[in-house]
Amino acid sequence: MEFTLQQLKQYDGSDPSKPIYVAVKGRIFDVTTGKSFYGPGGAYYMFAGKDASRALAKMSKNEEDVIASLDGLTDKEMGVLSDWEKKFEAKYPIVGTVSN
């Protein structure tokens, strides 16, 4: 399935009847099984319903970093993002992609 960033926001954990999704490099993962992390009050709740690529690369929880843009990231940060992507792939199912 394809989601716009606007549609993705509906899956931020605020509605308990919907799954929780986080996008990494345009691929959307169903992180509902990790709701203690990504659900309301969780340590990574700010990533829910968003593409968190930049924030993961920078190991940042700052709101301005919770975006898809990879512009200006260092090789080290891109490596960190790749590691996160592998962790997501191993743990959570991919349910779709983010459309432009």
Side-chain angles (χ1 to χ4, degrees):
M1 293 189 294
E2 267 198 358
F3 293 82
T4 64
L5 286 173
Q6 193 63 39
Q7 290 168 322
L8 186 60
K9 285 181 186 176
Q10 299 172 41
Y11 300 92
D12 67 355
S14 60
D15 181 344
S17 71
K18 291 183 179 174
I20 303 171
Y21 293 165
V22 173
V24 179
K25 290 170 69 176
R27 292 190 302 163
I28 301 168
F29 294 85
D30 182 339
V31 300
T32 308
T33 57
K35 72 175 169 224
S36 61
F37 298 107
Y38 299 101
Y44 300 109
Y45 177 58
M46 72 288 302
F47 299 160
K50 298 180 183 152
D51 189 315
S53 299
R54 185 175 199 82
L56 291 169
K58 294 174 77 69
M59 304 213 19
S60 167
K61 291 184 181 180
N62 295 331
E63 190 70 34
E64 66 269 15
D65 289 325
V66 186
I67 56 174
S69 174
L70 304 178
D71 293 346
L73 293 178
T74 66
D75 287 345
K76 183 178 179 190
E77 288 168 335
M78 289 301 289
V80 169
L81 178 55
S82 184
D83 289 345
W84 273 110
E85 190 177 21
K86 287 182 183 110
K87 286 177 186 157
F88 273 77
E89 287 170 349
K91 201 167 184 178
Y92 303 114
I94 296 167
V95 294
T97 56
V98 177
S99 61
N100 294 335

